[in-house]
Amino acid sequence: MKSGVQVEDVVEEVDVQAPALTSGSLILQGRYRLERLLCQRPRVNLYLGRRLPGTQELEQPESAVTESLVAVRELDLAGLSEAHHTLAERAAFEEFVSPVVAGSPRITSVPDRIATESERQYFIIPLERFTTSAGNEQAEACEQPILLADLFDRDQWPWWLDQERALQWCGQLCRIVARLHRTGTILGNLSPATVLVDSKGIATWMPLLLPSWPPPLHCWLLAATGSIDEADPVALYHEAFPPAINNGDSPFAAPETGRDDIDERSDVYSLGAILYLLLTHFAPASAWRRLGAIQAYAHTASYEHTEPLALSEQTDGLALILPSLLDTRVSVALEHTLLRALALDPAERYPSAFALAEVIEAQI
């Protein structure tokens, strides 16, 4: 069953200083080719790309030469002040050498490089092995990465993606996001377009959250250590990398991401929306549509309503459908978990991604 979620649906329109590069663009002296724009936020673009064979690789047997899949985060440094520019480069290096740089404790690959070209800085992470020789056939069979958004968009739902695996995946994602929160990174635009999984569900290190964020605040503060600049480094950080503002109708974005008012609970909402999709095979109604449904219901009702899931003729199809109505295997406890994570009021959600991870993992 198709979920109707495509990568193009979850790429947010944002006001960036410079446009994203087009599909097929070559970067870093032709060593990498960009294939797809996955996500945008101020000064940050995330692409799926390929590392192209180099001169030495071309001298190897044809069977050992292949283009390998990579994730490419691009920082647009154009127009930054000298202080911002220097700190951005130092922070990117601090992130590169940090133990949380790949976003997952299970991935065996390490970041390939950070490099600057013109006013753009690239952070590149390999996503699969470089060779396809006979000795690596078993490893290749176990590593067939695919975007979660693409997995959902297939004609048939993967038979192996059952409730237990959905909970395992979402628990891992919660812990990845929780680690990012500890470094000072709030995503605000987490979606299936930024999550990598295995197309057969057999890779033990999946899922992987692709780097769609600027260098974390923690790395920025490390870079600012010892600086003689009297400016507040935290203020400089938020000036250089403002939060992602979601102006669209993404089913994975919390309602407050339409304003400059996000915190850890905003990412809890996104994680709840992804789990809702994994369990029911349908994306939830967007927060903006749900708010519209509540407002329409309040306007037409002759009394003050207290049940946000109640429907009227004007709100039919706009409110959040109870997960158990879409899949009877969703337990009462699991449904409560989803509804709390997807609460429109941040105060009613789980206080952190770690808290949500513990509740999810307790139900596996």
Side-chain angles (χ1 to χ4, degrees), residues 209-225:
L209 184 60
L210 300 181
S212 59
W213 53 86
L217 177 60
H218 171 71
C219 297
W220 181 275
L221 295 177
L222 286 176
T225 301

Side-chain angles (χ1 to χ4, degrees), residues 161-171 275 278-279 360:
L161 188 46
D162 54 15
Q163 185 174 114
E164 180 179 0
R165 189 175 298 275
L167 293 172
Q168 289 173 343
W169 276 6
C170 202
L275 181 57
L278 284 168
L279 294 172
I360 290 174

Side-chain angles (χ1 to χ4, degrees), residues 155-341:
D155 292 330
Q156 187 173 4
W157 193 267
W159 63 267
W160 46 264
L161 188 46
D162 54 15
Q163 185 174 114
E164 180 179 0
R165 189 175 298 275
L167 293 172
Q168 289 173 343
W169 276 6
C170 202
Q172 288 185 39
L173 276 178
C174 287
R175 292 188 176 276
I176 292 170
V177 172
R179 287 198 302 276
L180 286 173
H181 286 171
R182 288 199 295 271
T183 68
T185 297
I186 305 297
L187 298 170
N189 59 348
L190 174 60
S191 79
T194 61
V195 177
L196 198 77
V197 297
D198 187 86
S199 61
K200 295 185 178 180
I202 52 180
T204 58
W205 53 271
M206 294 295 183
L208 172 68
L209 184 60
L210 300 181
S212 59
W213 53 86
L217 177 60
H218 171 71
C219 297
W220 181 275
L221 295 177
L222 286 176
T225 301
S227 173
I228 61 174
D229 195 325
E230 296 181 358
D232 180 3
V234 176
L236 284 177
Y237 178 83
H238 291 298
E239 289 175 10
F241 302 108
I245 305 298
N246 294 292
N247 299 320
D249 197 30
S250 169
F252 305 100
E256 65 271 17
T257 59
R259 313 179 300 271
D260 185 5
D261 183 27
I262 63 174
D263 58 23
E264 294 185 19
R265 298 168 298 180
S266 303
D267 290 336
V268 167
Y269 185 99
S270 299
L271 291 163
I274 291 176
L275 181 57
Y276 184 104
L277 176 56
L278 284 168
L279 294 172
T280 68
H281 303 186
F282 291 94
S286 74
W288 292 275
R289 291 170 62 86
R290 293 171 59 198
L291 286 172
I294 292 174
Q295 293 168 0
Y297 181 79
H299 179 73
T300 58
S302 59
Y303 55 90
E304 183 178 356
H305 73 284
T306 58
E307 176 50 70
L309 295 177
L311 301 178
S312 68
E313 292 182 358
Q314 295 187 19
T315 64
D316 189 18
L318 300 181
L320 182 66
I321 300 174
L322 292 174
S324 59
L325 296 179
L326 298 174
D327 189 339
T328 57
R329 292 170 294 183
V330 175
S331 67
V332 173
L334 185 52
E335 181 165 270
H336 174 76
T337 299
L338 287 169
L339 295 181
R340 182 176 176 185

Side-chain angles (χ1 to χ4, degrees), residues 52-75:
L52 305 180
T55 303
Q56 294 180 350
E57 291 169 310
L58 291 175
E59 296 174 355
Q60 299 177 7
E62 183 176 354
S63 61
V65 176
T66 184
E67 297 179 359
S68 56
L69 193 67
V70 295
V72 180
R73 184 189 68 190
E74 174 189 67
L75 298 183

Side-chain angles (χ1 to χ4, degrees), residues 116-165:
T116 301
E117 188 170 60
S118 184
E119 291 297 311
R120 298 172 186 258
Q121 185 179 75
Y122 296 99
F123 173 31
I124 299 170
I125 294 181
L127 301 178
E128 61 184 0
R129 297 179 184 275
F130 294 145
T131 63
T132 57
S133 59
N136 284 328
E137 287 180 358
Q138 184 176 1
E140 182 185 359
C142 293
E143 297 184 8
Q144 297 186 20
I146 185 174
L147 293 174
L148 192 56
D150 291 343
L151 188 69
F152 291 151
D153 198 43
R154 291 181 169 183
D155 292 330
Q156 187 173 4
W157 193 267
W159 63 267
W160 46 264
L161 188 46
D162 54 15
Q163 185 174 114
E164 180 179 0
R165 189 175 298 275

